[in-house]
């Protein structure tokens, strides 16, 4: 009788403990899921139903992502008074994103971020003609690049922080690029107010890959204000001069003594109107900086004195394209009223160099079967009082 009683007690205790653990696990999963909300966003002209995913952290920061173009439609960051405001430019209606998104607001860019000269390149002795959508050149993967594609999105349930897994398979020959390219991107919002973006890709045929994220930032939170008062520092001693169509000439020029020297923090507008041939060609800054160091490291900081917002950028990429919003032309309404005018947003697009497939002195962007493309970038927000 005693043995039976002990067995019964043991079984009862096991069930109680197991049940508690199971309930706790349910609560943990449920808690994480509460940090990712899903809602309907709109329907594309092709009939795709688009969802919006809202990531939030314990501080109240939020990032909104849609499964069209992997686009970040909103990202909030705190100011010196603790107020969270949206700091990325975007359209006021879904149709703005679905109708070509001419500024690439918030989009994932592929297969090739930035420009490729004359919309062609050669791999293994074969020349590939790709989509020509920027004068004589190809820009950001072509007219129907990754920014116009439907991405599959899953919520990563076992992640430490709210995380989305985005995936898209680009068919062999899409926009002229060789190979079937399978791409996966992870968006993670951490509790230290950082948005981490991790990229992966694999191919079944030798191709070129250069993925990036094209969010425009305005740390003032007012999208009618110019970003020329933002103070920028870039950890780079050299940049790439460009020709009249914004293709790198191949020269790697020292920034010292030029308007391109951001090794010490200075307002974006300080030298932007200088009598400089490169600034005239880009209508401002629209160039690639050759980043110092290797591996995941801090490569840029942007500070807005009025709000106290500070954004720090980390990446393992060799370059960053700093673009000062020179082609924003006031055609569309902003999310805070008014229009998206000239230089009301800036981009820091971490990437390999423009036109690398045609310039052997640049770091290679080739990806072969059996290899895996990896890249990581972090945008971290804090307050500097």
């Amino acid at each position: 009788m005693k043995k039976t009683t002990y067995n019964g007690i043991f079984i009862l205790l096991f069930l109680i403990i197991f049940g508690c653990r199971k309930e706790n696990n349910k609560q943990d999963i449920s808690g994480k899921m509460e940090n990712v909300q899903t809602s309907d966003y709109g329907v594309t002209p092709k009939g795709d139903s688009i969802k919006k995913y809202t990531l939030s952290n314990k501080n109240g920061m939020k990032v909104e992502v849609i499964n069209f173009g992997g686009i970040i439609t909103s990202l909030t960051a705190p100011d010196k008074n603790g107020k969270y405001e949206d700091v990325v430019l975007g359209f006021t209606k879904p149709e703005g994103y679905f109708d070509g998104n001419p500024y690439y607001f918030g989009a994932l860019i592929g297969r090739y971020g930035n420009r490729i000269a004359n919309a062609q390149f050669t791999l293994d002795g074969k020349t590939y003609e790709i989509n020509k959508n920027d004068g004589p050149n190809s820009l950001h993967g072509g007219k129907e690049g990754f920014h116009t594609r439907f991405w599959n999105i899953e919520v990563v349930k076992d992640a430490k922080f709210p995380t989305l897994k985005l995936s898209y398979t680009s068919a062999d020959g899409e926009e002229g690029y060789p190979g079937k390219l399978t791409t996966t991107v992870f968006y993670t919002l951490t509790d230290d107010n950082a948005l981490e973006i991790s990229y992966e890709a694999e191919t079944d045929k030798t191709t070129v890959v250069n993925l990036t994220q094209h969010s425009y930032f305005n740390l003032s939170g007012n999208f009618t204000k110019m970003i020329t008062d933002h103070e920028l520092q870039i950890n780079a001693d050299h940049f790439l001069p460009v020709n009249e169509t914004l293709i790198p000439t191949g020269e790697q020029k020292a920034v010292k003594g030029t308007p391109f020297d951001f090794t010490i923090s200075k307002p974006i507008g300080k030298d932007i109107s200088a009598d400089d041939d490169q600034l005239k060609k880009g209508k401002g800054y629209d160039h690639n900086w050759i980043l110092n160091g290797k591996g995941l490291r801090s490569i840029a900081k942007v500070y807005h004195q009025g709000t106290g917002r500070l954004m720090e950028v980390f990446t393992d990429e060799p370059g960053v394209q700093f673009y000062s919003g020179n082609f924003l032309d006031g055609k569309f309404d902003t999310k805070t009223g008014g229009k998206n005018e000239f230089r009301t947003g800036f981009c820091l697009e971490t990437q390999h160099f423009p036109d690398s497939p045609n310039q052997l002195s640049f770091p290679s962007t080739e990806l072969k079967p059996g290899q895996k493309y990896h890249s990581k970038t972090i945008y971290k927000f804090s307050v500097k009082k």
Side-chain angles (χ1 to χ4, degrees):
M1 289 294 292
K2 286 184 178 180
K3 187 173 183 181
T4 303
T5 302
Y6 288 145
N7 286 342
I9 292 171
F10 176 78
I11 292 169
L12 180 61
L13 287 172
F14 174 80
L15 290 173
I16 290 170
I17 293 169
F18 178 78
C20 288
R21 285 181 178 173
K22 190 173 182 181
E23 187 61 32
N24 285 338
N25 285 341
K26 283 183 180 178
Q27 289 175 356
D28 288 344
I29 292 171
S30 154
K32 287 178 183 176
M33 291 301 287
E34 286 176 4
N35 291 331
V36 183
Q37 300 293 330
T38 307
S39 57
D40 293 327
Y41 186 75
V43 180
T44 70
K46 294 180 180 180
D48 290 321
S49 294
I50 302 305
K51 297 287 186 182
K52 181 175 73 175
Y53 298 79
T54 303
L55 307 179
S56 58
N57 69 9
K58 67 178 184 179
N59 307 316
M61 181 176 174
K62 292 184 178 181
V63 179
E64 296 179 354
V65 178
I66 58 174
N67 54 349
F68 180 85
I71 292 169
I72 295 172
T73 60
S74 176
L75 184 157
T76 66
D79 68 5
K80 58 189 175 185
N81 299 314
K83 183 180 180 182
Y84 280 80
E85 290 182 299
D86 192 1
V87 294
V88 294
L89 276 63
F91 295 107
T92 57
K93 297 178 181 179
E95 291 75 22
Y97 298 107
F98 302 158
D99 189 23
N101 190 1
Y103 307 123
Y104 304 91
F105 280 153
L108 288 175
I109 301 298
R111 292 188 186 191
Y112 199 95
N114 221 307
R115 296 173 174 88
I116 294 181
N118 301 312
Q120 66 178 28
F121 58 89
T122 301
L123 281 176
D124 297 336
K126 182 177 179 180
T127 299
Y128 293 90
E129 303 285 341
I130 55 178
N131 187 267
K132 190 179 291 186
N133 66 326
D134 183 52
N137 308 317
S138 183
L139 174 66
H140 294 332
K143 185 179 180 181
E144 299 292 331
F146 286 6
H147 65 291
T148 69
R149 301 297 178 173
F150 180 86
W151 289 72
N152 181 63
I153 296 187
E154 303 171 45
V155 178
V156 181
K157 297 179 181 179
D158 58 348
K160 183 178 180 181
F161 300 110
T163 300
L164 298 177
K165 177 184 177 182
L166 296 82
S167 55
Y168 173 68
T169 299
S170 175
D172 183 17
E174 185 175 286
E175 294 297 283
Y177 287 90
K180 182 177 79 170
L181 187 76
T182 303
T183 302
T184 304
V185 179
F186 294 91
Y187 284 137
T188 299
L189 178 61
T190 70
D191 281 343
D192 60 351
N193 285 357
L195 175 63
E196 299 184 353
I197 308 172
S198 299
Y199 307 86
E200 299 175 358
E202 294 179 289
T203 184
D204 65 354
K205 187 186 297 185
T206 301
T207 190
V208 294
V209 185
N210 191 26
L211 305 178
T212 191
Q213 222 291 332
H214 208 293
S215 285
Y216 290 70
F217 298 94
N218 186 323
L219 301 185
S220 76
N222 183 336
F223 302 132
T224 63
K225 290 187 175 181
M226 295 181 74
I227 46 80
T228 46
D229 63 342
H230 289 49
E231 297 173 24
L232 171 65
Q233 182 266 331
I234 303 177
N235 184 20
D237 295 324
H238 296 81
F239 78 103
L240 298 178
V242 296
N243 64 19
E244 289 74 13
T245 65
L246 303 183
I247 294 293
T249 62
E251 179 187 4
Q252 299 186 19
K253 186 175 181 178
V255 299
K256 189 174 182 179
T258 78
F260 292 79
D261 189 353
F262 285 93
T263 53
I264 297 175
S265 182
K266 68 178 181 182
I268 290 172
K270 182 179 180 182
D271 299 317
I272 203 167
S273 298
D275 184 14
D276 180 270
D277 176 63
Q278 284 298 304
L279 289 173
K280 290 175 182 177
K281 286 175 178 173
K283 301 185 185 301
Y285 298 108
D286 192 5
H287 297 73
N288 182 86
W289 271 253
I290 302 170
L291 298 172
N292 297 333
K294 293 183 179 180
L296 187 65
R297 73 276 193 209
S298 175
I299 60 99
K301 294 180 181 178
V302 188
Y303 172 59
H304 183 255
Q305 187 175 19
T307 61
R309 289 190 177 99
L310 177 68
M311 182 178 82
E312 187 169 8
V313 185
F314 302 79
T315 192
D316 54 12
E317 289 282 358
V320 64
Q321 185 85 3
F322 167 48
Y323 170 52
S324 53
N326 315 310
F327 296 102
L328 295 174
D329 52 13
K331 289 182 179 178
F332 298 95
D333 294 333
T334 83
K335 294 180 283 183
T336 56
K339 302 288 185 179
N340 287 306
E341 302 283 0
F342 182 62
R343 293 181 184 159
T344 52
F346 69 88
C347 302
L348 286 168
E349 305 157 60
T350 56
Q351 58 191 246
H352 271 56
F353 302 170
D355 199 37
S356 289
N358 295 311
Q359 306 213 28
L360 298 180
S361 63
F362 291 175
S364 176
T365 55
E366 286 189 21
L367 183 68
K368 298 180 182 295
Q371 296 178 336
K372 195 164 188 177
Y373 173 102
H374 288 280
S375 179
K376 186 170 186 176
T377 292
I378 302 170
Y379 296 95
K380 184 177 181 180
F381 297 85
S382 60
V383 174
K384 178 181 173 183
K385 296 183 179 179

